[in-house]
Amino acid sequence: MELFNDYIEKAKEMEPTFEDKIVAQKGIMRSESFNENFEYIERMLNKLYEKTRILQNISEYTRTFLKTQVVGQKEELYELLKEAETTRDSIKRDGYKKRTLLFTEDLTAKKIDRDGIEIAPTSVSNGAITLLGKEEEFVPIKEVKVDREIALTQSNNKNILDGEPVRNFYLLDGPAPHGVAETYKLEFEKESYVTQIDIQNVNSDIKVVELIDKTNKKIQVTKQAATGFKRQLVSSVEVTIVDTSYRQVTYEYDATRMSSDFWHKVAQKEYAKEMGLSNSFDLEKESGLRQYKEDYQTYLNSVSAWEAERNAVDQRNAQMQSAYESAYSAWAINNPGAYDRS
């Protein structure tokens, strides 16, 4: 490092200026001054060459130094990674550490984590903290009631009773400004204790989840529905979902010729398309476009027939006029003075 510092200090040794060292000659040239000037220039060139060599040495030393530092840091990083992997493998082998906690089971009290976020309800089992998510009893659903603001087109809501997915289909004139909302009321076969409600929604947002007891009192558990909540004795559950997604489809139709159940058949066709089912919907027929084309062709045919008839009449009139003019000419020749009143 001392050698490197010496290089730096030597590179700094540079005269501020050399213009005053060279004296310009006027008139008669003096060989002595001329030689002194060239001697000075030669000396300065030698110093410049020396400093150039010093800069080359500095460059090589810097490259070697940085390479050494990078290699050293890389090796140190590899050692840290190796230590981390060893620790990870040790933890993986150990699984987890058991520690008995003196913890009182209180489902009504809120448990706050160190970052201030509320922890989902927990339970103590054999001295270990566990999530209160175990299924003690499956509550069967007796009846499903659905309240909606917009008329439904197709649905399989009854699938809920069998634990199967539900898909509803709406056919609207345009996108609903606030989306399509549905409120499901799931009535249980009997009053049951509930601690968690599992809702798997697709293409929709869960807005409200409420528990309803036998007195029709409602308890909102929207935020805690999936994670768990204090055990409640309820007779039904209400879930409100909103769907703002839609697919725009354009249909051409003739309002005076379309079938009376055109939109119903369109809904069946679109639903079948979404569900991957076959459908024999004839768009041209049901929309009235085929009848429109047929009526228009009939109109064109009648216009062509009328034009043909008009041409025939014009031709007959031309023939009659020609015959009349020929007869008149013959009569006028035979009666030259018939109309001479002079």
Side-chain angles (χ1 to χ4, degrees), residues 37-60:
N37 289 340
F38 269 95
E39 183 181 353
Y40 176 73
I41 291 173
E42 184 179 3
R43 189 167 61 252
M44 294 303 297
L45 287 174
N46 291 333
K47 285 187 176 182
L48 180 60
Y49 174 75
E50 182 182 358
K51 295 183 188 303
T52 302
R53 293 295 302 273
I54 291 173
L55 287 176
Q56 289 178 345
N57 293 336
I58 291 174
S59 176
E60 293 176 0

Side-chain angles (χ1 to χ4, degrees), residues 213-335:
D213 61 15
K214 62 181 181 180
T215 64
N216 213 32
K217 177 184 176 181
K218 294 185 178 182
I219 304 172
Q220 188 172 135
V221 292
T222 306
K223 294 182 178 180
Q224 301 85 15
T227 58
F229 44 83
K230 179 182 177 182
R231 192 168 68 158
Q232 300 287 344
L233 182 62
V234 297
S235 59
S236 61
V237 174
E238 272 193 1
V239 180
T240 299
I241 62 174
V242 176
D243 181 11
T244 56
S245 62
Y246 65 91
R247 182 169 61 88
Q248 184 171 339
V249 182
T250 302
Y251 280 93
E252 294 182 353
Y253 62 93
D254 187 328
T256 61
R257 295 177 174 85
M258 62 189 288
S259 60
S260 58
D261 57 349
F262 172 70
W263 291 116
H264 174 69
K265 291 181 178 178
V266 165
Q268 289 182 328
K269 169 188 173 293
E270 292 297 336
Y271 183 74
K273 182 178 179 181
E274 291 292 331
M275 301 298 290
L277 305 175
S278 60
N279 185 271
S280 58
F281 178 72
D282 189 340
L283 176 61
E284 278 205 347
K285 176 184 176 183
E286 302 297 339
S287 65
L289 294 181
R290 181 179 301 168
Q291 187 62 46
Y292 168 80
K293 292 177 181 179
E294 292 176 356
D295 293 346
Y296 184 67
Q297 188 60 49
T298 301
Y299 165 75
L300 293 178
N301 293 339
S302 63
V303 170
S304 298
W306 176 80
E307 288 180 346
E309 183 179 353
R310 185 188 64 178
N311 292 334
V313 171
D314 290 342
Q315 187 176 2
R316 289 196 301 271
N317 290 338
Q319 291 175 352
M320 291 177 64
Q321 184 176 0
S322 177
Y324 171 77
E325 289 177 351
S326 297
Y328 177 77
S329 297
W331 178 82
I333 292 174
N334 297 326
N335 301 278

Side-chain angles (χ1 to χ4, degrees), residues 7-219:
Y7 283 154
I8 296 298
E9 293 300 326
K10 206 164 188 62
K12 290 180 180 179
E13 295 177 2
M14 180 67 74
E15 296 184 19
T17 179
F18 57 84
E19 292 180 355
D20 56 343
K21 301 293 183 179
I22 300 177
V23 180
Q25 298 187 40
K26 296 181 180 180
I28 300 173
M29 178 179 293
R30 296 176 63 252
S31 61
E32 183 179 354
S33 298
F34 185 82
N35 292 334
E36 289 177 354
N37 289 340
F38 269 95
E39 183 181 353
Y40 176 73
I41 291 173
E42 184 179 3
R43 189 167 61 252
M44 294 303 297
L45 287 174
N46 291 333
K47 285 187 176 182
L48 180 60
Y49 174 75
E50 182 182 358
K51 295 183 188 303
T52 302
R53 293 295 302 273
I54 291 173
L55 287 176
Q56 289 178 345
N57 293 336
I58 291 174
S59 176
E60 293 176 0
Y61 182 87
T62 303
R63 186 183 299 107
T64 303
F65 176 77
L66 291 177
K67 185 177 180 179
T68 303
Q69 290 294 316
V70 169
V71 171
Q73 294 291 337
K74 186 177 180 181
E75 291 177 353
E76 185 177 350
L77 178 60
Y78 282 157
E79 287 297 325
L80 291 174
L81 288 174
K82 184 177 180 181
E83 184 178 348
E85 290 173 355
T86 302
T87 305
R88 179 203 62 191
D89 295 339
S90 175
I91 294 174
K92 189 182 295 184
R93 285 194 304 269
D94 294 343
Y96 60 90
K97 295 185 180 298
K98 294 183 179 180
R99 182 178 298 173
T100 302
L101 299 177
L102 299 176
F103 210 76
T104 302
E105 184 171 2
D106 183 6
L107 301 179
T108 62
K110 290 185 178 180
K111 300 175 180 63
I112 307 299
D113 204 349
R114 286 171 294 181
D115 56 4
I117 298 177
E118 182 180 350
I119 303 175
T122 56
S123 177
V124 179
S125 177
N126 298 326
I129 302 175
T130 60
L131 286 177
L132 186 64
K134 61 179 181 178
E135 184 179 294
E136 294 184 352
E137 179 185 4
F138 177 77
V139 181
I141 300 172
K142 178 182 68 175
E143 186 178 0
V144 179
K145 297 179 180 178
V146 185
D147 184 23
R148 51 178 62 87
E149 299 175 355
I150 301 175
L152 180 67
T153 304
Q154 292 284 349
S155 174
N156 56 356
N157 287 333
K158 296 300 181 181
N159 282 10
I160 293 180
L161 299 176
D162 300 324
E164 297 294 330
V166 171
R167 188 168 190 173
N168 292 336
F169 186 81
Y170 291 84
L171 182 65
L172 310 177
D173 293 337
H178 305 292
V180 177
E182 294 180 330
T183 299
Y184 288 79
K185 185 175 182 180
L186 311 176
E187 295 186 357
F188 303 150
E189 291 183 355
K190 62 178 181 178
E191 268 192 306
S192 303
Y193 284 102
V194 178
T195 58
Q196 184 179 7
I197 301 174
D198 184 17
I199 305 172
Q200 299 178 10
N201 56 308
V202 179
N203 291 336
S204 62
D205 299 318
I206 299 174
K207 294 299 181 181
V208 181
V209 180
E210 292 180 320
L211 308 175
I212 306 175
D213 61 15
K214 62 181 181 180
T215 64
N216 213 32
K217 177 184 176 181
K218 294 185 178 182
I219 304 172

